Amino acid sequence: MRVKIPGWEIVVICSALLFPFISLCAQEADQPFIHRLGIEARPQYVFPTNPFLQGENERWKPIRSSFAAHLKYSFKYRPNTCADRIYGGAYQGFGLAFTTFGDKKQLGDPMTFYVFQGARIARFHPRLSLNYEWNFGISAGWQPYDNDYNSYNGAVGSRVNAYLNAGIYLNWSLSRYFDFIIGGDFTHFSNGNTKFPNAGINTTGAKIGLVYNFNREEADLTKSLVHPYVPRFPRHISYDLVLFGSWRRKGVYVGEKQIASPGSYPVAGFNFAPMYNLNYKFRFGISLDGVYDGSANVYTEDALVEYDAGSGSSRRKFLVPGIQHQLALGLSGRAEYVMPFFTIGVGLGTNVLGRGDLRGLYQVFALKINVTRSSFLHIGYNLQNFQTPNYLMLGLGFRFNNKYPKVRH
């Protein structure tokens, strides 16, 4: 039988990505934006991070390259405005991409929907700048591991996978309407440990594109002699409360081989973080992190081998410990990069209460998407000891004592 992905998993992730744009469009009505449409080509090198990509596959050939075509819509603040000065020409939007690895039978040709944001790093000339951009979304249409039909594929375990991308590029304004971009980026595909296997695919390469600016004026391409006034930022402490949940699969080592658990396990938790808001773009603090991980300390009992008389096969029994072995409480240092609509956060912490799998250091990477002034969607990922994937963190957050100024233009 082929592995069938429950539709509710796709609905949860798509809703988390699509819902914020209702808020973005509502806020856009009274904001002076330039609207843009872009196309990009991204030839990529595939890192040989697992045996399947190295050549241990059905074709016995390494998978070394991929190609992606992107169509993107974005909007940005006009140059020479207060918001442009604070956020360095920030732009944001959503995109659609088609990716091929040259092996549709074993990997598929996935389609990706994502949100993205970028801004200026340095300006060399009113028409030439060095920019950065990140993309985050979901990709569907993969051919995942299947014991009967696709048994070599140890890289991808799910038909739907997360997509993360970051890069830098040169932006050259050719005219009032057109921008030319060229640069490089890094891409990661994985399923966030919601399916097994989860080795993932990593690529790096070039990005070349053209952007059409619908309503840009000639004056937007010249350097203004008047600098807009930027209000003084009121430094203050705000408090973020995040409630999250997700699901995950567990891989357990038996000797040198890792085998998958028979089902998914629930994950739920909270973060409470007092954050010192230093300026418009940076805040930092300490977070109290609690989690229930239904897969923690799950193991196989080698001595318990059940015999299935119907099929004549044996299978290992997975044992689940008591709830006291699946709860943890930790402290982490947090830092956040604040931009319009989106906030990117990182954290490094350790569990002060926790047993077995829940001991040691953990790392958090999170994207916060503003819904209202005091609430946001939270999409995060937890790693252990800088290398072991833990779980997704899909949730809702609330911010208290928010004194962040509203930047209108």
Side-chain angles (χ1 to χ4, degrees), residues 136-396:
F136 176 78
I138 58 172
S139 57
W142 295 85
Q143 291 293 340
Y145 169 85
D146 185 281
N147 190 53
D148 297 320
Y149 299 97
N150 200 11
S151 60
Y152 289 103
N153 187 355
V156 178
S158 175
R159 294 189 184 278
V160 178
N161 290 277
Y163 162 78
L164 297 93
N165 172 276
I168 59 173
Y169 65 93
L170 288 171
N171 188 97
W172 180 22
S173 297
L174 301 174
S175 68
R176 171 184 169 183
Y177 295 107
F178 288 99
D179 291 349
F180 174 73
I181 67 170
I182 184 169
D185 63 355
F186 173 84
T187 301
H188 173 71
F189 293 101
S190 73
N191 61 44
N193 242 25
T194 58
K195 292 290 178 182
F196 187 89
N198 184 40
I201 295 178
N202 301 305
T203 69
T204 188
K207 56 184 294 181
I208 304 169
L210 200 63
V211 180
Y212 181 80
N213 297 268
F214 286 94
N215 57 330
R216 188 164 65 183
E217 305 294 338
E218 287 290 349
D220 295 328
L221 299 176
T222 60
K223 185 175 181 179
S224 175
L225 298 177
V226 178
H227 292 291
Y229 171 72
V230 176
R232 183 176 178 272
F233 184 86
R235 295 184 176 181
H236 63 284
I237 296 177
S238 59
Y239 304 88
D240 282 9
L241 173 64
V242 174
L243 305 175
F244 67 86
S246 67
W247 65 99
R248 67 172 296 188
R249 291 291 296 273
K250 186 76 170 184
V252 176
Y253 278 100
V254 177
E256 296 183 355
K257 185 178 180 181
Q258 195 176 40
I259 63 175
S261 61
S264 298
Y265 298 92
V267 176
F270 74 89
N271 307 138
F272 179 71
M275 303 291 288
Y276 181 68
N277 293 255
L278 180 64
N279 54 40
Y280 280 100
K281 297 170 67 174
F282 185 70
R283 64 168 72 106
F284 61 90
I286 297 177
S287 178
L288 178 66
D289 308 319
V291 67
Y292 163 73
D293 183 354
S295 72
N297 298 304
V298 171
Y299 61 97
T300 59
E301 182 61 64
D302 293 340
L304 294 178
V305 179
E306 300 179 348
Y307 184 80
D308 189 334
S311 63
S313 62
S314 62
R315 51 195 170 99
R316 298 181 185 275
K317 184 177 181 180
F318 279 71
L319 301 181
V320 180
I323 193 172
Q324 69 273 18
H325 296 274
Q326 298 176 320
L327 294 171
L329 190 67
L331 289 173
S332 61
R334 299 294 182 102
E336 294 185 347
Y337 181 63
V338 184
M339 293 293 280
F341 311 113
F342 300 102
T343 297
I344 298 174
V346 296
L348 173 62
T350 184
N351 286 320
V352 294
L353 298 176
R355 303 182 182 183
D357 293 349
L358 297 173
R359 293 176 180 174
L361 295 174
Y362 60 87
Q363 299 76 48
V364 176
F365 301 89
L367 174 65
K368 296 178 178 179
I369 308 172
N370 296 343
V371 177
T372 68
R373 182 170 174 80
S374 58
S375 65
F376 53 88
L377 294 180
H378 180 278
I379 304 174
Y381 195 51
N382 185 290
L383 295 173
Q384 188 175 32
N385 297 325
F386 296 97
Q387 59 181 358
T388 305
N390 260 350
Y391 47 80
L392 285 171
M393 304 164 68
L394 306 175
L396 183 63

Side-chain angles (χ1 to χ4, degrees), residues 36 76 88-89 91 119-132 168-173 179-182:
R36 303 155 19 114
K76 63 178 295 184
Y91 61 91
R120 187 171 56 244
I121 298 173
R123 175 181 281 169
F124 309 113
H125 183 272
R127 291 177 179 263
L128 181 64
S129 63
L130 178 67
N131 295 7
Y132 73 86
I168 59 173
Y169 65 93
L170 288 171
N171 188 97
W172 180 22
S173 297
D179 291 349
F180 174 73
I181 67 170
I182 184 169

